[in-house]
Amino acid sequence: MHIIQHIPELRSQVRTWRDGREEVGLVPTMGNLHGGHMTLVEEALERSDRVVVSIFVNPTQFGPEEDFAGYPRTFERDCELLADAGVDVVFAPSVEEMYPDGGGLRTVVDVPALSGILCGATRPGHFQGVATVVAKLLNVVAPDLAVFGRKDYQQLMVIRQMVHDLNLPVQVVGAPVAREADGLAKSSRNAYLQEDERARAPALHEALRDAGARLAEGERDYAAVEAAGRAALAEAGFEPDYFRIRRPGDLGEPSGDEEELVILGAGWLGRARLIDNLAVRL
Ligand code: PAF
């Protein structure tokens, strides 16, 4: 496995693969890899001949009060995991490599319809930072496909919309949420949980499942189901951010004739902001 830090070297490696008609998959990450990331890597390995995993803690998607500086960085261990999995290249650019003009980008990618709601309501600028860095990574690597986790459902929708609107020649693959045995969605931020918080954290997934069961049984009072979800989170010690039932494609409010919905929840548990979601067939 090669570790590449510079864009020209990465491009030349990908060009060589392409010349040999090999398909290239990209898994963009911020490192601190866990089992959830590894399912994305497996998906990419299955679907493509060559796999690049990028490790880049992207400063532009963190708000000024957020955990950019303290975000867990475990580069060596990440590389061991990726080498064992059979990844071809780790692309690990510096901040200067990705933002050579001191972070002051004059061009950004914004997906306004999807970026101000749900997580975007309390994290202004977050999805613009994500869309911009993912557009840059897709331009740098030029993969045939890129794999993202469905745990970050809104992020996946923002990226799908961007790829569609900008005609980017890449297939976006959404991989299922990887969970711990007790249902907690795997996330780098789970490491912030104290022992008692970790014990309470599966309440988010349980609240989503309870809401999903009510919808599947025919309940259509969405506001009541959302309120019950929020209350369940608060009861478990979360500071709820949102608990919403939305259309899966555009995250709009359901109109009543949907065959599928997605329930999305987010909340703070101590230092950790946890998010999760559940798709429901009606
Ligand atoms: O999901 C993440 O880890 C990040 O938001 C991503 C997609 C790698 C962009 O920095």
Side-chain angles (χ1 to χ4, degrees):
M1 187 182 77
H2 294 297
I3 298 172
I4 298 182
Q5 288 170 320
H6 299 291
I7 292 170
E9 192 187 341
L10 184 81
R11 284 199 161 132
S12 111
Q13 171 64 86
V14 173
R15 213 173 296 124
T16 309
W17 289 334
R18 282 206 178 288
D19 289 349
R21 302 208 173 282
E22 291 185 298
E23 294 219 330
V24 182
L26 169 68
V27 183
T29 81
M30 299 205 299
N32 192 234
L33 303 182
H34 50 67
H37 294 108
M38 298 318 286
T39 64
L40 309 186
V41 170
E42 278 156 28
E43 190 86 40
L45 285 164
E46 261 171 41
R47 289 170 178 257
S48 35
D49 303 309
R50 299 288 185 172
V51 171
V52 177
V53 174
S54 62
I55 297 184
F56 179 63
V57 186
N58 172 39
T60 68
Q61 70 188 73
F62 288 81
E65 308 291 314
E66 293 185 356
D67 55 346
F68 173 68
Y71 195 84
R73 288 158 170 90
T74 51
F75 186 68
E76 277 173 25
R77 208 182 144 264
D78 293 348
C79 287
E80 279 169 25
L81 287 172
L82 296 173
D84 287 350
V87 164
D88 296 280
V89 162
V90 170
F91 177 49
S94 64
V95 173
E96 293 70 34
E97 185 79 12
M98 290 300 281
Y99 300 107
D101 305 321
L105 278 181
R106 292 179 208 200
T107 305
V108 291
V109 181
D110 199 13
V111 185
L114 291 173
S115 295
I117 54 173
L118 304 169
C119 285
T122 48
R123 304 188 69 191
H126 169 68
F127 287 113
Q128 187 186 84
V130 169
T132 304
V133 81
V134 171
K136 283 165 74 71
L137 289 167
L138 292 175
N139 280 332
V140 166
V141 182
D144 297 283
L145 65 91
V147 186
F148 298 86
R150 291 176 74 91
K151 188 197 64 107
D152 298 302
Y153 190 84
Q154 186 177 6
Q155 167 172 287
L156 178 63
M157 293 302 113
V158 165
I159 291 164
R160 280 197 196 289
Q161 191 69 54
M162 169 187 79
V163 163
H164 173 80
D165 288 347
L166 299 183
N167 305 94
L168 301 183
V170 64
Q171 183 196 350
V172 175
V173 177
V177 185
R179 300 185 178 282
E180 305 290 354
D182 60 8
L184 175 65
K186 293 189 180 181
S187 163
S188 298
R189 291 187 169 106
N190 292 350
Y192 296 156
L193 295 168
Q194 303 292 322
E195 207 179 320
D196 61 315
E197 292 162 351
R198 174 63 190 81
R200 284 180 279 136
L204 175 52
H205 181 230
E206 282 156 26
L208 292 166
R209 285 176 51 140
D210 288 348
R214 285 178 68 173
L215 297 182
E217 280 160 18
E219 170 75 82
R220 290 296 174 268
D221 184 348
Y222 298 138
V225 177
E226 289 174 348
R230 272 187 89 91
L233 290 185
E235 175 79 11
F238 278 75
E239 196 186 305
D241 180 350
Y242 61 79
F243 194 95
R244 293 275 177 233
I245 299 165
R246 292 295 170 103
R247 292 196 299 254
D250 62 2
L251 296 177
E253 310 247 354
S255 58
D257 54 5
E258 287 78 15
E259 289 178 358
E260 208 181 321
L261 291 169
V262 59
I263 316 166
L264 306 104
W268 287 89
L269 197 53
R271 267 181 68 216
R273 184 174 183 281
L274 303 183
I275 65 173
D276 200 350
N277 67 86
L278 190 74
V280 190
R281 282 219 146 267
L282 301 180

